[in-house]
Amino acid sequence: MFSKILIANRGEIAIRVIRACKEMGISTVAVFSEADREALHTNLADESYCIGGSQSKDSYLNMSAVISAAVASKAEAVHPGYGFLSENAEFAKLCRENNIVFIGPDYSVITKMGDKDMARRTMKKAGVPVIPGCDLVDGVEHAKKEAARIGFPLLIKARSGGGGRGIRLVNEAGELEKAYNAATAEAKAAFGDGAVYMEKYLFPVKHIEMQLLGDNFGNVVCLGERDCSTQRKNQKLIEESPAAIITDDVRKKMIEATVKAGKAVGYQGAGTIEYLYDKTGNFYFMEMNTRLQVEHPVTEMVTGIDLVKWQIRTAAGLKLDFVQEDIEFSGHAIECRINAEDPYQGFRPSGGKIQMLHIPGGPQVRFDTAVYQNYTIPPFYDSMIGKLIVHAKTRDEAIRKMKAALCELIIEGVVHNAPFQLEILSAEEFVNSTYTTNSLRTVDS
Ligand code: ADP
Ligand code: ADP
Ligand code: MG
């Protein structure tokens, strides 16, 4: 096992990883930007190194600065968290070249799956159903030709996309040129890569994703699904496991497809395959995230399996000590993302100092966060300030527990979305589990 790990991230996920390391007896190294001097991760780790300016590109995205900190601190491995460098194949390769273990799959797997167009083709070859669409399109004329074949509405999607960016909906042929130009421009600005492909726009659908875990010995298990259909602007707001509307038969098929896909690419570590599910039992591969997911705690709650510890163990060369049949799913878990934004003012980001903080507790209530009382939220990063997760025997009980916890949560000084989350939990579509990725469309400004 490693004796020291560097965490190349910030916020709640850095705290999550530091906690796992502490429980495993592993020393921790934090890296931080100038804006994060007073951040919790900076102070909770055993050692910490300033790696640059407040903008992500000057610090958390600065590969050589992160590698230098790892070398200087003699860290044997780097945990990339999510976002930032977590799906950057070049960074994973750079780690290896410096004799540092990247906690995640091999860089060749990241390359294959991070290119969403190549991932589609890889999955198709592995026998996993993919969303009808086309490969990369080269210019507006080519897009028009492919669009005529695919049909409308369709989505233009960035090959290097992530976090809901670089996606454009095209309702009819007349909108294509403008959407194509907008998508390629946004993709170029956000990811430095303007390449796009197209998919049929499926609706109404659920976003159902499957968690997988693999080791270096070819073993791959699937830890069930998460329903992440509660989304605003293609970004998740609430996630739950299990997905109430999936039958045991469909679940079994999805687990089989996911394990097959994981084995086909030689997957090691934690990863997620995202599918669209059309409620008649059909599911289609959408993308693979070759990292720990924001919403991983709901899976941890229903399986009792610590995903971060298993990421670390498998990266250290340990074998999974359980097989698919050993995994037991128990009860129901829900996660609400608490964002510093004003849902009643067009989701305008909010910031500033947290004057008063009260975190709900009680049995099976978990709040993953990096904020504390008197902490000032820097304006440079994500608007997510915490994740409230509950676990109960039944879905009804979990919803009630979540509502109680949301009511108890106090974060004064910044505007946040807990009141909006409460509204969603009471909506009929949520209560009866029929909500789709379009359910929140009406609130979009
Ligand atoms: P999840 O599927 O785990 O919910 P998201 O797509 O919401 O993941 O992204 C997780 C985090 O990573 C978010 O904070 C998002 O802003 C960030 N992120 C996603 N893709 C990228 C990217 N390509 N570059 C930088 N940050 C990203
Ligand atoms: P990202 O890499 O930004 O997470 P995804 O490919 O996962 O992008 O898509 C983000 C979200 O957009 C999905 O969760 C889903 O709600 C919606 N979406 C993506 N592709 C389609 C599609 N072909 N039809 C309908 N909705 C889609
Ligand atoms: Mg996605």
Side-chain angles (χ1 to χ4, degrees), residues 201-263:
Y201 180 67
L202 304 179
F203 69 98
V205 284
K206 273 186 170 288
H207 171 124
I208 305 285
E209 58 183 36
M210 309 299 285
Q211 177 70 52
L212 59 82
L213 200 52
D215 64 18
N216 279 332
F217 306 90
N219 302 304
V220 174
V221 294
C222 175
L223 276 60
E225 80 278 9
R226 294 181 287 256
D227 185 339
C228 307
S229 309
T230 304
Q231 300 182 353
R232 204 193 132 252
K233 296 204 160 162
N234 301 323
Q235 296 217 29
K236 301 160 187 166
L237 269 180
I238 300 180
E239 301 95 348
E240 59 177 321
S241 185
I245 53 122
I246 297 232
T247 61
D248 287 344
D249 185 44
V250 170
R251 179 174 296 110
K252 197 166 157 246
K253 278 192 197 142
M254 292 185 82
I255 288 177
E256 277 167 14
T258 303
V259 170
K260 191 164 75 178
K263 285 191 173 160

Side-chain angles (χ1 to χ4, degrees), residues 107-385:
Y107 69 85
S108 61
V109 176
I110 303 177
T111 305
K112 217 184 262 174
M113 294 295 130
D115 176 333
K116 294 172 75 170
D117 161 65
M118 200 195 288
R120 273 172 61 83
R121 282 182 274 129
T122 307
M123 287 300 129
K124 224 170 166 174
K125 224 164 96 191
V128 180
V130 304
I131 299 171
C134 66
D135 296 344
L136 289 186
V137 285
D138 183 18
V140 180
E141 288 313 312
H142 184 197
K144 280 183 185 163
K145 221 163 97 194
E146 291 289 0
R149 186 180 57 78
I150 299 166
F152 295 95
L154 57 79
L155 286 184
I156 303 178
K157 293 170 86 169
R159 160 173 74 181
S160 304
R165 286 169 302 169
I167 301 177
R168 283 292 181 285
L169 174 64
V170 188
N171 288 299
E172 36 126 357
E175 292 174 11
L176 188 70
E177 184 160 356
K178 201 172 151 211
Y180 178 87
N181 291 332
T184 48
E186 183 175 310
K188 206 161 191 173
F191 313 110
D193 173 18
V196 295
Y197 62 103
M198 300 193 297
E199 274 175 6
K200 192 169 182 58
Y201 180 67
L202 304 179
F203 69 98
V205 284
K206 273 186 170 288
H207 171 124
I208 305 285
E209 58 183 36
M210 309 299 285
Q211 177 70 52
L212 59 82
L213 200 52
D215 64 18
N216 279 332
F217 306 90
N219 302 304
V220 174
V221 294
C222 175
L223 276 60
E225 80 278 9
R226 294 181 287 256
D227 185 339
C228 307
S229 309
T230 304
Q231 300 182 353
R232 204 193 132 252
K233 296 204 160 162
N234 301 323
Q235 296 217 29
K236 301 160 187 166
L237 269 180
I238 300 180
E239 301 95 348
E240 59 177 321
S241 185
I245 53 122
I246 297 232
T247 61
D248 287 344
D249 185 44
V250 170
R251 179 174 296 110
K252 197 166 157 246
K253 278 192 197 142
M254 292 185 82
I255 288 177
E256 277 167 14
T258 303
V259 170
K260 191 164 75 178
K263 285 191 173 160
V265 297
Y267 203 83
Q268 183 262 307
T272 295
I273 298 192
E274 299 186 333
Y275 297 94
L276 288 181
Y277 174 74
D278 74 3
K279 290 199 200 175
T280 65
N282 297 312
F283 58 91
Y284 306 91
F285 170 84
M286 185 163 52
E287 68 159 340
M288 177 165 197
N289 293 324
T290 53
R291 57 168 163 89
L292 187 67
Q293 205 96 351
V294 174
E295 56 274 21
H296 74 277
V298 294
T299 299
E300 297 188 322
M301 301 297 255
V302 295
T303 59
I305 292 168
D306 188 316
L307 282 165
V308 176
K309 286 185 186 164
W310 274 110
Q311 281 189 296
I312 295 170
R313 290 186 193 119
T314 52
L318 295 184
K319 215 170 180 165
L320 286 174
D321 70 355
F322 56 92
V323 294
Q324 190 67 42
E325 290 69 34
D326 296 332
I327 302 168
E328 279 178 29
F329 300 97
S330 140
H332 198 94
I334 305 177
E335 170 182 283
C336 284
R337 297 193 189 193
I338 306 300
N339 296 334
E341 61 191 16
D342 189 346
Y344 306 112
Q345 297 287 330
F347 295 88
R348 191 168 57 196
S350 170
K353 186 168 172 179
I354 295 180
Q355 310 283 1
M356 155 84 191
L357 178 70
H358 169 72
I359 293 173
Q364 299 172 89
V365 176
R366 167 173 168 185
F367 192 57
D368 281 18
T369 189
V371 303
Y372 55 86
Q373 196 147 320
N374 292 329
Y375 172 71
T376 300
I377 299 171
F380 307 101
Y381 315 106
D382 234 43
S383 65
M384 196 185 76
I385 49 174

Side-chain angles (χ1 to χ4, degrees), residues 407-428:
C407 288
E408 196 186 319
L409 175 70
I410 301 171
I411 308 173
E412 276 175 15
V414 298
V415 187
H416 61 82
N417 65 345
F420 182 60
Q421 295 281 23
L422 274 167
E423 271 185 48
I424 300 173
L425 294 176
S426 298
E428 198 186 325

